[in-house]
Amino acid sequence: MTRERALQPVRKQKRSRRASSAEPLRKRAHSDGEGRRWSRFFIALICAVGLGFLSLLVWAILPGPGKGVAVALELPDQLSSRQAGALMRSRGLVRSPGLFTAYLWLIRPALQLKPGPHLLDDSLSPRELAQRLARLPSRRIEKVTMPEGWNHLQLARRLEHQRICSSLSFQRAARRAELLVTLGISGPSVEGYMFPATYELNVDTEPERVIEILVREGRRRLERLSAQHPGAFERLQREYGLGQHQLLTLASIVEKEAADPDERPRVASVFLNRLRDPTFRPERALQSDPTAAYGCLVSEVQLQSCSGNGQVTPAMLRDAANAYNTYQHPGLPPGPISNPGEASIAAVLEPAHTDFLYFVARGDGRHEFSRTFEEHSRAIAERHGEARSR
């Protein structure tokens, strides 16, 4: 009995030791299980975030909600991502303003939206839309051709058609006084200073930027013509009192009057002769139909004499309210009536040596030139007689 009693505490002590050693194991197992649950949570969270980012990237390359209709808008300054999303949704450019906001905020946080006029498209993907709003260099490039003799209104329509900028924003920029001063243009608009050529332009480009590119090319071509015709600019100034603005104005008239390139020097000589021949009447009147037609296009007030179809009428040529009417106003009009090419500018720099004061269209793209009004009248009568005989 005494020995058994002596052994009993030892057994209890062993059981107590086994119990105390099992307790840390249970704690460790609980801790490991909790760690595994947190690990699974973080893995699931990372997967969810990654899937969200992937879904947002996929959404950003999907086409927009529309069918390719142009949308012109003015982007305000200091626009937040949330405000941009709401504005795009209100103009029918995105389906979900929230997703567009998330795309700007999460995927393109460094993107700076450019305030001012934008020309967009309701079929653009959100990614393309963001590129245009920020005017990134990566946006699409279009080849835009400006033919010789086009005016800025015709170019404005083409620029809008090819999604470069809106027609209205371009027309406003073409007459903006601050831009004219910056470019050193003395006329009422940039008309005549934009060189006709083919240009590679990014879609949704600021109209001022487009104008700067075309005017810079025009200045480069003028420098080349000056080198090709040494002393011609100075001679034109000395003999006729014509500077660069007047040169481009007369060249623009030649461009509209002469369909055949070979006739341009002779047509230029007729207008220069009218400017300084004292026998010509009315004195210094260029009497060019295209100038009056252009005046109808750009007049700030509605002229009753202007026809709706653009045709030149006798009433139009009698209207002194038309500032570009060279039948009623002597000398050159206020500015160019088109954007002339190199051949027309060169024709004014090096006109043909003639004493012609008149010309009339023959109907085959060429003209009959005359020295006197009597010769001119006979040419008109013959031309009308041929028309009646046909």
Side-chain angles (χ1 to χ4, degrees):
M1 292 293 292
T2 304
R3 186 177 179 180
E4 288 178 359
R5 286 193 188 97
L7 290 174
Q8 282 179 357
V10 174
R11 292 192 192 100
K12 287 181 181 179
Q13 186 177 9
K14 288 182 178 180
R15 283 197 300 270
S16 176
R17 189 178 293 116
R18 284 197 299 269
S20 62
S21 63
E23 185 175 347
L25 290 175
R26 285 196 299 271
K27 288 182 179 180
R28 192 179 304 116
H30 175 75
S31 178
D32 291 345
E34 188 175 355
R36 285 193 293 272
R37 284 196 299 272
W38 277 106
S39 297
R40 287 195 294 270
F41 172 76
F42 281 119
I43 291 172
L45 181 62
I46 292 171
C47 290
V49 171
L51 183 61
F53 266 77
L54 181 61
S55 301
L56 196 57
L57 288 171
V58 172
W59 174 82
I61 63 174
L62 296 176
K67 297 182 179 180
V69 177
V71 178
L73 60 82
E74 188 81 17
L75 200 67
D77 198 5
Q78 302 296 325
L79 199 68
S80 68
S81 299
R82 184 184 298 274
Q83 291 170 326
L87 178 60
M88 296 304 107
R89 177 65 182 87
S90 69
R91 299 304 300 272
L93 294 165
V94 297
R95 293 184 177 88
S96 171
L99 287 177
F100 189 72
T101 298
Y103 176 76
L104 294 179
W105 190 59
L106 296 174
I107 308 298
R108 309 300 296 269
L111 210 61
Q112 298 292 322
L113 305 185
K114 301 295 184 182
H118 286 265
L119 182 61
L120 307 170
D121 187 311
D122 65 5
S123 66
L124 293 174
S125 69
R127 178 176 176 271
E128 292 173 314
L129 188 59
Q131 286 178 337
R132 295 198 186 187
L133 292 174
R135 292 207 165 103
L136 298 182
S138 57
R139 63 195 191 280
R140 194 177 77 247
I141 291 176
E142 287 280 338
K143 285 188 176 182
V144 180
T145 298
M146 178 183 179
E148 295 176 346
W150 266 28
N151 59 50
H152 76 280
L153 301 174
Q154 292 170 301
L155 177 59
R157 289 191 289 270
R158 173 160 291 185
L159 290 171
E160 178 165 302
H161 176 72
Q162 295 191 238
R163 301 295 193 266
I164 306 301
C165 58
S166 75
S167 175
L168 183 58
S169 68
F170 184 82
Q171 292 178 46
R172 288 173 175 170
R175 297 189 294 269
R176 187 163 295 135
E178 297 85 355
L179 182 61
L180 295 175
V181 171
T182 301
L183 296 175
I185 296 174
S186 59
S189 74
V190 298
E191 198 79 274
Y193 291 82
M194 300 180 293
F195 191 80
T198 297
Y199 299 87
E200 291 187 349
L201 302 171
N202 289 104
V203 293
D204 190 30
T205 295
E206 303 94 322
E208 292 84 0
R209 176 59 180 157
V210 175
I211 290 171
E212 288 171 359
I213 292 171
L214 272 63
V215 170
R216 184 172 64 241
E217 180 63 19
R219 292 268 163 75
R220 191 181 71 82
R221 299 297 181 105
L222 280 175
E223 290 177 2
R224 188 168 76 178
L225 284 169
S226 179
Q228 293 172 349
H229 302 272
F233 280 87
E234 293 77 10
R235 185 169 59 252
L236 197 65
Q237 176 71 54
R238 183 176 63 253
E239 296 182 6
Y240 297 94
L242 304 183
Q244 185 185 97
H245 182 70
Q246 291 77 22
L247 161 66
L248 292 174
T249 300
L250 185 52
S252 73
I253 298 174
V254 171
E255 188 73 65
K256 299 300 290 184
E257 291 277 13
D260 193 315
D262 294 339
E263 286 193 343
R264 287 172 183 165
R266 271 184 287 174
V267 171
S269 75
V270 169
F271 290 123
L272 288 170
N273 289 340
R274 288 178 180 180
L275 286 175
R276 71 172 182 176
D277 192 321
T279 67
F280 183 72
R281 293 291 183 271
E283 188 177 1
R284 302 184 71 249
L286 294 186
Q287 295 186 337
S288 170
D289 290 6
T291 63
Y294 181 81
C296 287
L297 292 175
V298 299
S299 176
E300 295 181 357
V301 298
Q302 181 65 40
L303 299 174
Q304 294 183 355
S305 64
C306 295
S307 61
N309 57 12
Q311 296 295 318
V312 177
T313 64
M316 186 188 298
L317 301 181
R318 290 192 300 267
D319 190 359
N322 186 336
Y324 283 81
N325 186 354
T326 52
Y327 283 83
Q328 300 299 320
H329 302 285
L332 293 166
I337 63 171
S338 70
N339 291 278
E342 281 189 347
S344 292
I345 299 173
V348 178
L349 289 173
E350 298 285 354
H353 295 287
T354 76
D355 57 359
F356 295 137
L357 289 171
Y358 303 93
F359 62 93
V360 62
R362 297 192 318 198
D364 59 356
R366 297 182 67 83
H367 295 84
E368 188 74 32
F369 294 85
S370 307
R371 171 66 183 88
T372 66
F373 184 72
E374 289 73 19
E375 293 174 356
H376 180 57
S377 298
R378 285 196 298 271
I380 293 175
E382 290 173 3
R383 173 74 191 107
H384 287 175
E386 290 175 5
R388 285 194 295 271
S389 67
R390 285 198 296 268

